[in-house]
Amino acid sequence: MTTGRAAFLHRLSPAAHWRRRLSPWRTRRLLEAHLLVLVLCAAVAATSLFLSYRQTQRGAEALASSQAPAVQGLAGTRLAALRSYQEADILVKLQLVDVAGSGEAYRSQLSAADQGLSRIADRTHQDLGTVNGLLASYGNSLNLGLSTYPGPSLMRDQKLGEAHSLLTRKGVGLAFRINTLQEVQMRHAEATARMGRWQRAGWWLAELALAALALTLVSALFVLRDRCGRDWNPYLLAAFVLTVLLAVVPLTTASATEGILDGAIRDLRQITEVSRHNDADMARTQQDVTELKRVRTELTAAQQDVSERSEEVRRELADDAWTDRVYPGTVVGGLLVVVLPALGLGLRLDSDYWRRR
């Protein structure tokens, strides 16, 4: 009874089922078919992994080197331009224009805005000519507004009003132009960080090909032991281990990278929002000294917030640099997973069958 039950269970085992499925095939043809499927699946999996992982890596590099710094730079430039007017207006309201060294604050903010645009020009393909021209005109009006004039300060008021108009005019002002650049740059950053449809399809194709490769390797090992009486083939075993690693490590690394990029995009959105927080205050033309100081304090806090968040984004994207080491491993593993099965089955076929022709 025990022997009969054991025989019955043996007939129902996966090995027995697979043996019956392969029974119509001759051993040589069976091994050759396994060799063909192994090489095909390995080639598809390796190619898909190379392309998909490389695209993820390039997206991370582009965000870290150009897109994120451009968004951060635009936020900093906008805040520096806004604060330069506040500093100048406070000097006029407090009648400190003619005091030696009183204009250093607004000049440093103008300089920061100009340097920020210069750095952004190296990191983006957007046309900054109009913004540069507006910033130059705005800075010129601000400088003339703080120049020393004999008699009443009508010219000073005119130039400061002109600077305010150049800065805040709806649709064509400096702040509005920078807003537009920020929106475009954020869309570029989001598109760079997002995994596209074709990239996602590449990952699916790679994982499916690796799954088919692993199953075919198990089947080839079974055939060698069942029909050829051979021990475990070391080439096929090594290929199986590599297949499992390639199915797990690159995908896990890419998923972690996508999480880091999503976090960076959220921080960049917050940086952009912080830089626009004082639009309503800046649109007002008449403000007393107390109100001006309050707005200046808020702008200073916003600049500090943008600086801290920008540093956090840089740190997050720098921490992602370790994923660069996974790509060479993926390349080497992909090549080996193509070569090892072909070598293992090719040597066995050559030794047992092809030389007998």
Side-chain angles (χ1 to χ4, degrees):
M1 184 66 179
T2 304
T3 304
R5 171 175 278 187
F8 176 74
L9 292 176
H10 178 71
R11 287 195 300 271
L12 293 180
S13 66
H17 175 72
W18 193 240
R19 187 179 295 111
R20 288 193 298 270
R21 293 294 301 269
L22 298 180
S23 59
W25 291 70
R26 292 172 54 192
T27 302
R28 175 184 159 187
R29 296 302 181 193
L30 195 58
L31 291 177
E32 289 175 340
H34 277 78
L35 176 60
L36 179 62
V37 174
L38 285 174
V39 172
L40 180 62
C41 288
V44 172
T47 303
S48 300
L49 277 179
F50 296 160
L51 296 178
S52 299
Y53 192 85
R54 184 55 180 162
Q55 186 63 31
T56 299
Q57 188 184 35
R58 285 178 177 174
E61 291 173 352
L63 188 65
S65 63
S66 60
Q67 304 294 349
V71 172
Q72 297 160 3
L74 285 169
T77 297
R78 191 178 194 280
L79 288 171
L82 295 177
R83 189 178 165 193
S84 65
Y85 181 82
Q86 291 300 111
E87 296 289 349
D89 204 10
I90 288 176
L91 289 179
V92 173
K93 291 290 196 306
L94 295 178
Q95 298 181 355
L96 297 176
V97 175
D98 298 327
V99 177
S102 60
E104 291 301 320
Y106 96 88
R107 291 192 188 92
S108 65
Q109 294 300 320
L110 269 181
S111 177
D114 184 63
Q115 291 174 11
L117 279 184
S118 298
R119 287 192 296 268
I120 294 166
D122 298 331
R123 299 178 184 275
T124 180
H125 298 296
Q126 297 188 65
D127 184 12
L128 301 180
T130 301
V131 178
N132 277 315
L134 275 173
L135 181 60
S137 299
Y138 165 72
N140 184 58
S141 296
L142 208 57
N143 288 327
L144 290 175
L146 295 184
S147 299
T148 301
Y149 295 99
S153 59
L154 296 178
M155 181 62 71
R156 177 174 296 151
D157 292 340
Q158 178 185 350
K159 290 301 179 181
L160 284 177
E162 182 180 303
H164 185 270
S165 177
L166 287 170
L167 179 63
T168 62
R169 188 183 302 166
K170 189 175 180 180
V172 294
L174 179 61
F176 181 85
R177 299 277 187 177
I178 295 179
N179 281 354
T180 303
L181 289 176
Q182 286 179 306
E183 291 171 1
V184 173
Q185 200 61 45
M186 273 304 306
R187 287 198 295 270
H188 288 170
E190 290 170 355
T192 300
R194 188 186 308 119
M195 185 180 291
R197 181 189 306 173
W198 291 109
Q199 186 182 1
R200 198 176 299 276
W203 281 111
W204 274 104
L205 180 60
E207 292 298 314
L208 290 174
L210 288 170
L213 178 62
L215 292 175
T216 308
L217 284 169
V218 172
S219 178
L221 287 167
F222 172 78
V223 170
L224 288 176
R225 284 184 62 85
D226 187 62
R227 292 201 180 186
C228 303
R230 302 289 181 181
D231 292 332
W232 297 114
N233 189 298
Y235 296 102
L236 298 186
L237 286 175
F240 182 79
V241 173
L242 276 176
T243 300
V244 174
L245 290 176
L246 287 174
V248 174
V249 176
L251 183 61
T252 302
T253 306
S255 179
T257 302
E258 287 296 317
I260 292 173
L261 297 185
D262 289 342
I265 290 297
R266 286 193 296 271
D267 287 338
L268 292 176
R269 288 198 196 101
Q270 292 175 355
I271 287 172
T272 301
E273 290 302 318
V274 167
S275 70
R276 299 176 177 180
H277 181 67
N278 297 94
D279 281 357
D281 290 326
M282 293 304 302
R284 296 170 55 189
T285 55
Q286 298 296 327
Q287 300 182 55
D288 57 26
V289 175
T290 302
E291 189 71 11
L292 287 173
K293 288 183 177 180
R294 180 189 66 80
V295 175
R296 180 177 65 176
T297 301
E298 291 182 357
L299 287 172
T300 304
Q303 285 180 314
Q304 182 65 27
D305 191 9
V306 166
S307 178
E308 292 174 356
R309 290 180 184 273
S310 297
E311 184 60 33
E312 183 178 346
V313 170
R314 282 192 289 269
R315 187 166 55 251
E316 288 177 357
L317 296 178
D319 290 341
D320 189 44
W322 66 272
T323 60
D324 294 343
R325 296 191 292 271
V326 176
Y327 180 70
T330 303
V331 173
V332 174
L335 293 176
L336 287 176
V337 88
V338 174
V339 172
L340 288 176
L343 190 61
L345 280 184
L347 290 175
R348 182 53 53 204
L349 281 166
D350 186 62
S351 176
D352 292 346
Y353 297 98
W354 290 340
R355 289 184 182 182
R356 296 182 180 181
R357 291 180 179 178

